[in-house]
Amino acid sequence: MEKPLTKNIQPDRAFATLADYESTGGYLGMRKAITDLQPKEVQQWVKDAGLRGRGGAGFSTGLKWSLVPMDADAPQVRYLVVNADEMEPGTFKDRLLLEKDPHQLIEGIIIAAYAIQATMAYIFLRGEYHLAAQRLAYALLEARSKGYLGKHVLDSGFSLEIVLHTSAGRYICGEETALLNALEGKRATPRAKPPFPLISGLWGKPTVVNNVETLCNVPHILQYGVEWYQGLARCVDKGTKLFGASGRVKYPGLWELPMGTSIREIIEEHAGGMRDGYKLRGFLPGGASTDFLLPEHLDVGMEFDAIAKAGSRMGTGNIIVLDDKTCPVQMVLNLEQFFAQESCGWCTPCRDGLPWTVTLLKDIIAGKGRLEDLDRLAGLTRMLGPGNTFCALAPGAMEPLQSALKYFREDFERYIVGHYDEVGVV
Amino acid sequence: MKMQNKNPRIEGLSPTEIQEINAEMSHYEDKTAVSIEALKIVQKHRGWVSDDCLVAVAGFLDMAPAQLEGIATFYNLIYRRPVGKTVIHYCNSVTCWMMGSEQIREHLCRRLNVALGEMSEDGEYTILPIVCLGACDHAPVAMVGDELKLDLTENAVNEFLGR
């Protein structure tokens, strides 16, 4: 099985230097793009390859690039921004790519910037990722010394600067328009859309925001071609992806696997199944903001549409496992506390609805809940759902709650009815 | 393009801080874009961002202090109160919570005899919660200063505290 994204990650070295990276064909994709292909052709390759964004939303990467206005009368300043603000609870894939193989990302950035003819790229990195920052800074110097960055990349007419920006920490910075505000030195509140960043982004200029893992796919598409890339997957989605599992499984970890790999294979084979004494109760397939699924969904493949059909989202593809000895109501409380804390406070449903959700859950757990509270929580999942907020934070926060109410209702009721028993109301 | 600033209010900043902030400015379209970097630079040198520092940075960047305060208080990693020499950020997000982060927090607080956000008596440590540190396969985890500590147990905590 081919593993293009992780082929340079080896246990006997801390990270891949420029020499390590080039010894396995690194920067050949960039050479091909800049030397042999027009920007529009690069966009087409990535579109044809079927690469979809790995940050969670799954939008076609090549299509996104092709929507950037590039006519002669379009703005001549364009930006590429790398979303390296990995902070979705339960997600640990981009850190690996950043720390272990920084040149793979840099090559992806150069190709993407060439495709949209951006001469400036920003890497928006989580402030907490200190090791990644060191390795990236080192790799950027190496790339510059080789003439891969700066004026006239590979002696072509294309020039590119990459700036590494480290954030000061806030989950909402992962939302692309909030990220742009943070880069501009503002509070990271999302922006009203439209206009979309592709038309008016950083400092009002056309801007593409791509996730780290997404860009790491790009060099391989250019180097080995569209057909090869499509052949990696086991489903309609293309390529490989870093899938992970955390929680009470035997071997929590991260594995590069073909798109379409079944959740059962990830949890039972790669993660070794549940730890002794624990049973699988359910799981969040792709981070904190995805709906719970149950053991009956284990045979669903990790592909965007299949997981949507099962009632959740692939999200980041890093599975959080719920075991039979962890209370799902308390788990949901932990998730909602996170979202309530990280809400930027810009729009009312999110700013007020999330603390209300937390209060209701705390009351239920403390034995002060009533059965009507479950209807109230269900009402909140609709009020904070898609269409009522400026960004996806609140709708994302409602996904684990709405599915927990559906699948684990008896756990909620046990807290409530138990209390009624005590005070003799029933 | 007036990047170098001669505002008299910059007297609150050290020459090193001013040099570092100016270096950051070259990467951005306008100088207010470095506001977050500037706060981080001041914090790196002084441990936290006092009111005086905030006013000095705002003056240097031609921003209203209230505007910069809105930014300083928005981000998790800018401290507007004094913190210990080493800040311990323990992860309290979902996987770490499942794998015992509450016990780690209790142990840390007991060992250092502090509540969350307080400075230990000797000024060495402050404990703060942080959201997912992206190491869920090694939960529970914490960031001690700049260093990520994995697979935490009470013994591992004692070891890195050296007490």
Side-chain angles (χ1 to χ4, degrees):
Chain A
M1 197 187 340
E2 283 188 274
K3 297 183 177 176
L5 296 173
T6 53
K7 69 180 174 191
N8 292 314
I9 300 177
Q10 290 169 12
D12 59 343
R13 65 182 182 214
F15 69 107
T17 62
L18 180 66
D20 296 330
Y21 184 64
E22 294 202 300
S23 73
T24 59
Y27 287 108
L28 290 178
M30 171 197 75
R31 285 176 192 279
K32 180 176 213 159
I34 294 179
T35 316
D36 301 343
L37 300 174
Q38 293 300 310
K40 283 277 169 198
E41 290 176 300
V42 177
Q43 295 177 5
Q44 195 62 43
W45 275 49
V46 173
K47 194 151 103 184
D48 291 345
L51 172 61
R52 292 175 68 172
R54 303 295 198 238
F59 193 78
S60 159
T61 305
L63 180 60
K64 193 187 238 187
W65 296 353
S66 73
L67 297 173
V68 176
M70 291 181 55
D71 305 335
D73 57 350
Q76 291 308 295
V77 176
R78 288 175 282 269
Y79 295 107
L80 175 74
V81 175
V82 184
N83 188 342
D85 195 48
E86 180 168 72
M87 219 188 286
E88 175 78 12
T91 302
F92 46 105
K93 66 187 183 66
D94 293 341
R95 191 168 63 83
L96 182 87
L97 295 168
L98 292 160
E99 289 180 358
K100 299 288 186 184
D101 197 10
H103 282 287
Q104 180 172 238
L105 174 64
I106 293 171
E107 185 182 5
I109 294 171
I110 298 170
I111 297 168
Y114 176 75
I116 60 163
Q117 292 290 289
T119 55
M120 192 72 170
Y122 291 91
I123 302 172
F124 190 95
L125 179 67
R126 244 195 113 167
E128 293 89 337
Y129 279 12
H130 297 283
L131 188 59
Q134 284 169 25
R135 301 245 166 104
L136 272 172
Y138 178 79
L140 285 169
L141 285 177
E142 281 188 315
R144 179 176 298 275
S145 72
K146 275 279 206 145
Y148 298 162
L149 293 174
K151 290 236 178 295
H152 305 296
V153 176
L154 299 175
D155 296 322
S156 71
F158 174 66
S159 302
L160 177 66
E161 295 295 338
I162 300 180
V163 172
L164 176 60
H165 172 100
T166 58
S167 176
R170 213 51 207 270
Y171 173 69
I172 192 64
C173 295
E175 200 279 342
E176 65 176 7
T177 59
L179 186 155
L180 297 178
N181 276 340
L183 255 186
E184 291 182 9
K186 298 170 182 158
R187 285 170 73 95
T189 49
R191 297 174 179 177
K193 288 157 278 199
F196 289 91
L198 292 171
I199 307 300
S200 176
L202 192 58
W203 294 297
K205 301 296 193 297
T207 304
V208 164
V209 183
N210 283 141
N211 165 263
V212 168
E213 189 186 2
T214 308
L215 289 170
C216 287
N217 277 265
V218 171
H220 311 292
I221 294 171
L222 270 291
Q223 189 186 348
Y224 299 111
V226 169
E227 273 180 38
W228 167 85
Y229 186 79
Q230 292 182 335
L232 293 171
R234 294 182 192 163
C235 65
V236 291
D237 293 322
K238 301 306 172 201
T240 57
K241 174 158 179 28
L242 294 184
F243 294 111
S246 68
R248 288 202 172 87
V249 289
K250 278 206 182 93
Y251 312 110
L254 204 56
W255 310 275
E256 180 179 2
L257 298 166
M259 288 291 269
T261 301
S262 76
I263 294 168
R264 183 185 298 282
E265 182 184 321
I266 296 169
I267 292 180
E268 293 183 357
E269 209 171 295
H270 302 285
M274 299 302 289
R275 283 193 191 179
D276 294 338
Y278 293 94
K279 285 202 193 86
L280 177 70
R281 181 96 194 267
F283 54 89
L284 303 171
S289 61
T290 58
D291 281 276
F292 278 99
L293 292 177
L294 298 176
E296 68 195 56
H297 300 114
L298 277 173
D299 292 310
V300 174
M302 275 290 197
E303 53 183 299
F304 290 102
D305 294 346
I307 297 199
K309 221 170 127 192
S312 186
R313 291 188 304 118
M314 188 167 79
T316 63
N318 288 195
I319 302 166
I320 304 166
V321 171
L322 167 67
D323 60 79
D324 62 336
K325 292 187 177 134
T326 297
C327 169
V329 185
Q330 293 194 29
M331 179 172 171
V332 170
L333 171 63
N334 174 280
L335 295 168
E336 300 309 327
Q337 279 176 319
F338 162 80
F339 288 113
Q341 174 191 305
E342 294 299 319
S343 168
C344 79
W346 189 33
C347 55
T348 309
C350 184
R351 181 189 58 236
D352 289 351
L354 288 171
W356 191 9
T357 306
V358 167
T359 304
L360 285 168
L361 288 168
K362 276 186 174 167
D363 280 355
I364 289 171
I365 290 167
K368 293 187 283 182
R370 294 174 168 275
L371 283 172
E372 307 91 270
D373 290 339
L374 299 185
D375 298 331
R376 213 160 280 145
L377 284 171
L380 281 165
T381 66
R382 289 186 291 274
M383 194 173 83
L384 275 66
N388 294 334
T389 55
F390 284 109
C391 85
L393 187 144
M398 292 300 104
E399 288 182 26
L401 175 61
Q402 70 193 10
S403 45
L405 286 168
K406 181 166 70 176
Y407 295 135
F408 309 122
R409 196 175 174 91
E410 72 278 17
D411 293 83
F412 288 86
E413 288 174 353
R414 207 171 297 136
Y415 281 110
I416 296 168
V417 175
H419 172 67
Y420 278 17
D421 275 338
E422 272 168 39
V423 297
V425 175
V426 171
Chain B
M1 290 298 283
K2 191 188 66 165
M3 281 304 200
Q4 299 294 324
N5 200 309
K6 299 222 163 49
N7 190 311
R9 278 186 291 174
I10 67 171
E11 62 198 27
L13 300 175
S14 75
T16 315
E17 288 167 331
I18 290 170
Q19 195 187 355
E20 288 180 24
I21 296 170
N22 276 331
E24 283 296 329
M25 278 184 194
S26 63
H27 302 319
Y28 300 88
E29 284 290 299
D30 59 44
K31 61 183 179 185
T32 53
V34 303
S35 64
I36 298 162
E37 297 284 3
L39 291 168
K40 285 174 78 172
I41 287 167
V42 167
Q43 183 167 288
K44 183 181 78 185
H45 291 289
R46 301 166 192 244
W48 66 295
V49 180
S50 66
D51 288 350
D52 288 346
C53 285
L54 186 106
V55 170
V57 173
F60 187 52
L61 301 178
D62 285 339
M63 296 170 75
Q67 188 190 356
L68 189 63
E69 172 74 333
I71 292 160
T73 53
F74 188 88
Y75 294 96
N76 296 334
L77 300 178
I78 304 294
Y79 312 130
R80 288 288 281 115
R81 282 198 286 171
V83 291
K85 268 187 223 150
T86 303
V87 177
I88 300 174
H89 284 104
Y90 79 97
C91 171
N92 67 354
S93 289
V94 61
T95 300
C96 283
W97 169 80
M98 272 196 285
M99 303 305 283
S101 67
E102 288 294 296
Q103 289 91 300
I104 295 298
R105 172 183 60 82
E106 281 167 22
H107 184 72
L108 273 167
C109 289
R110 203 169 43 235
R111 205 79 188 170
L112 294 174
N113 195 23
V114 287
L116 290 185
E118 281 179 3
M119 211 191 307
S120 61
E121 215 159 59
D122 57 4
E124 289 293 322
Y125 293 105
T126 296
I127 306 166
L128 289 170
I130 191 83
V131 299
C132 185
L133 287 168
C136 319
D137 48 345
H138 291 282
V141 304
M143 199 171 63
V144 180
D146 290 353
E147 207 183 324
L148 194 58
K149 301 282 185 187
L150 306 171
D151 303 304
L152 287 182
T153 57
E154 294 192 357
N155 280 340
V157 168
N158 296 346
E159 225 162 89
F160 73 66
L161 288 179
R163 53 174 99 177

